[in-house]
Amino acid sequence: MIHVIVPTHLRTLAKINGEVLLDVAAPVTQRAILDALEARYPTLRGTVREHEKQQRRPLLRFFACGLDVSHEPDDAPLPDAVASGAEPFWIVGAVAGG
Amino acid sequence: MSGVRVLVGTRKGAFILTSDGKREKWDVSGPHFGGWEIYHLKGSPVDPNRIYVSQSSGWFGQQIQRSNDGGQTWEAVGNKFVYEGVTGTHQWYDGTPHPWEFKRVWHLEPSLTDPDMVYAGAEDAALFQTKDGGQTWNELAGLRRHGSGPKWQPGAGGLCLHTILIDPSNHQRIYIAISSAGAFRTDDGGETWKPINQGLKSQYIPDPNAEVGHCVHRIAMHPSRPNTLFMQKHWDVMRSDNGGDLWHEVSGNLPTDFGFVVDVHAHEPETVYVVPIKSDSEHYPLDGKLRVFRSRSGGNEWEALTNGLPQSNCFVNVLRDAMAVDSLDSCGVYFGTTGGQVYASADAGDHWAPIVRDLPPVVAVEVQTLS
């Protein structure tokens, strides 16, 4: 199972309690994880990726194994530790604004 | 027993303030959606427990929330706002073409007859409509496709469609206003639109009498006289008595005629309220005195209402959607400030008192009169 860390505001919005664990078929990519996340929690559609272009929102970043993978291709395989569930996939809101 | 429910949108959440008909003691509920910007929330006139909320965030985009129980519980509904067809361009601040991009919903206007139908005014300027309680939204693209669309230019707050008024006597007639394109009217339910800016004079644009390009801040209408409109423009308080076909200035003796809000007494169609602001570069009250001005003659002759409002060292603003009236007898008037106060008057403006003092900056105030 893929472990996803979701920002607090989105957890509240989607009424998420507890960990977010998703069953994602290989290859495990950003796109595959986000598709699974949105399928589980439809309220999150449009919040991490814009509706039309399906692009990451500018003030969000994705991290895996301590690395910023935000600018990696959507379909690039993520590290094995994320695919195995040993490490989480982080969706992080920028420290910006007030 | 009658009562009121004041719906308050702030930069960091929504608050619901409730009271009985005396409007002396208040219960405060919130923040709802804490940390999110609540540009507007409004209840259905035919089902007051149905409330729609525009919730947005620079990080996570637009959400629409809906309550079916007067704001006790909420459900996130559809948040997909897609411009219809070829998007096209409007003008950017520097006059260059800029593609239309959806940013947020500024205003939600529920139908007067159907709790599942709502109009949404968006930035970049467009009018959307839902017929299924907010699950899906479709653009009424006739507005944006009006021939002047490529000339529309954003105001300082963005190219926002912030005012939607439905004519209670003819639901096919709707007025909208855009900063800074101006006012528009449809007579066919949103299929086609015409600019209604004749009589407006805006010295800050190349042609002060242009068909479009005026920075209209707010329009108000009394439901018994839907052809009479009052407008707070960037500068100037204006009035039309023919559905916006022609406007004339009614600023009269106001100490400054810059401002954002305008509203009309619930029972007196010629009693109008504004909150003058010093200038377009100094968004706070003149002389540090927070004064509501009331005209009982439909404009031109204005009196300052100060009883209970701070009359020294007050430098807040009152934003365009932050004033509302209830329909009790006597009429209650409410407004919110960027300093986080929501003031209420239960006697049509003669006396004021804060309901709350320390909310986040207030963006929107609506009132529901409950029976």
Side-chain angles (χ1 to χ4, degrees):
Chain A
M1 301 290 277
I2 307 300
H3 183 197
V4 183
I5 306 292
V6 176
T8 301
H9 277 318
L10 295 187
R11 291 177 61 88
T12 305
L13 177 68
K15 299 175 181 170
I16 296 172
N17 295 309
E19 293 186 338
V20 176
L21 299 173
L22 301 173
D23 190 4
V24 179
V28 175
T29 64
Q30 290 182 28
R31 188 194 307 277
I33 289 177
L34 295 174
D35 285 349
L37 181 70
E38 291 174 359
R40 170 82 67 84
Y41 304 104
T43 305
L44 296 184
R45 289 178 182 148
T47 63
V48 178
R49 300 181 291 186
E50 293 172 356
H51 273 296
E52 282 193 274
K53 297 178 181 175
Q54 291 288 289
Q55 290 179 339
R56 174 180 50 84
R57 288 193 168 276
L59 293 183
L60 297 183
R61 288 290 180 91
F62 303 141
F63 284 82
C65 301
L67 299 174
D68 183 351
V69 296
S70 307
H71 300 292
E72 297 297 320
D74 295 347
D75 294 318
L78 290 165
D80 289 344
V82 171
S84 70
E87 287 285 336
F89 178 76
W90 290 77
I91 302 170
V92 179
V95 182
Chain B
M1 184 173 180
S2 61
V4 293
R5 186 159 57 207
V6 182
L7 309 174
V8 182
T10 80
R11 293 287 182 207
K12 295 293 179 185
F15 296 82
I16 299 179
L17 321 175
T18 53
S19 183
D20 61 20
K22 294 181 180 176
R23 294 157 288 180
E24 294 172 353
K25 296 179 180 177
W26 294 87
D27 291 323
V28 178
S29 164
H32 303 266
F33 325 112
W36 293 71
E37 289 188 288
I38 308 301
Y39 267 68
H40 196 222
L41 59 169
K42 191 161 187 176
S44 164
V46 285
D47 179 3
N49 283 331
R50 173 70 68 86
I51 300 172
Y52 293 92
V53 179
S54 172
Q55 170 191 8
S56 68
S57 151
W59 289 263
F60 309 117
Q62 178 70 47
Q63 293 291 322
I64 300 291
Q65 297 275 351
R66 188 183 77 192
S67 176
N68 297 322
D69 55 14
Q72 296 180 53
T73 61
W74 301 95
E75 172 189 4
V77 288
N79 66 343
K80 191 172 183 179
F81 292 85
V82 177
Y83 295 112
E84 187 182 292
V86 177
T87 307
T89 61
H90 60 79
Q91 282 193 38
W92 195 232
Y93 293 97
D94 62 359
T96 56
H98 191 83
W100 246 276
E101 298 169 330
F102 175 81
K103 296 184 179 67
R104 59 179 61 82
V105 169
W106 278 65
H107 186 95
L108 293 164
E109 191 65 32
S111 156
L112 302 178
T113 55
D114 180 354
D116 286 333
M117 182 189 289
V118 185
Y119 297 94
E123 176 190 356
D124 287 338
L127 186 64
F128 289 85
Q129 182 187 45
T130 180
K131 295 181 178 178
D132 57 10
Q135 299 295 346
T136 59
W137 296 87
N138 294 297
E139 186 190 5
L140 298 175
L143 172 63
R144 206 164 45 82
R145 290 188 182 139
H146 180 267
S148 65
K151 298 180 188 174
W152 298 355
Q153 206 163 10
L159 184 62
C160 54
L161 195 164
H162 50 70
T163 297
I164 305 169
L165 296 172
I166 305 168
D167 182 338
S169 65
N170 171 13
H171 297 178
Q172 295 298 298
R173 171 170 280 199
I174 302 171
Y175 304 96
I176 66 96
I178 297 168
S179 288
S180 54
F184 295 79
R185 188 183 78 210
T186 179
D187 291 314
D188 56 16
E191 288 289 318
T192 60
W193 296 80
K194 63 177 284 190
I196 49 169
N197 301 305
Q198 192 177 349
L200 305 186
K201 292 182 174 57
S202 301
Q203 300 300 332
Y204 47 82
I205 58 178
D207 175 3
N209 304 302
E211 181 185 41
V212 298
H214 302 273
C215 193
V216 177
H217 283 179
R218 187 70 177 164
I219 301 175
M221 170 183 72
H222 190 277
S224 72
R225 292 195 196 169
N227 284 329
T228 296
L229 305 173
F230 296 95
M231 173 193 292
Q232 174 66 67
K233 194 162 66 66
H234 194 77
W235 292 96
D236 303 335
V237 178
M238 307 294 293
R239 172 181 179 136
S240 171
D241 290 298
N242 51 14
D245 285 337
L246 184 62
W247 298 87
H248 62 277
E249 186 174 356
V250 292
S251 303
N253 63 338
L254 288 171
T256 162
D257 59 13
F258 185 87
F260 290 94
V261 294
V262 59
D263 214 335
V264 184
H265 189 292
H267 312 301
E268 301 172 10
E270 292 292 313
T271 297
V272 188
Y273 300 89
V274 295
V275 180
I277 296 297
K278 184 177 179 184
S279 73
D280 52 359
S281 58
E282 295 164 289
H283 282 189
Y284 43 74
L286 195 65
D287 300 327
K289 299 176 179 179
L290 183 55
R291 294 176 290 180
V292 176
F293 278 73
R294 177 176 64 195
S295 172
R296 292 193 181 278
S297 55
N300 284 323
E301 297 87 29
W302 300 88
E303 58 177 324
L305 308 175
T306 62
N307 196 328
L309 298 175
Q311 294 305 296
S312 63
N313 302 317
C314 182
F315 295 95
V316 298
N317 196 359
V318 180
L319 299 178
R320 69 184 85 235
D321 233 342
M323 178 178 260
V325 298
D326 70 33
S327 57
L328 293 174
D329 190 15
S330 71
C331 175
V333 187
Y334 307 80
F335 70 93
T337 77
T338 55
Q341 300 87 32
V342 177
Y343 289 100
S345 170
D347 54 10
D350 290 338
H351 300 85
W352 297 88
I355 304 174
V356 285
R357 289 182 180 277
D358 299 305
L359 300 186
V362 174
V363 179
V365 173
E366 291 287 350
V367 182
Q368 296 179 285
T369 307
L370 307 173
S371 55

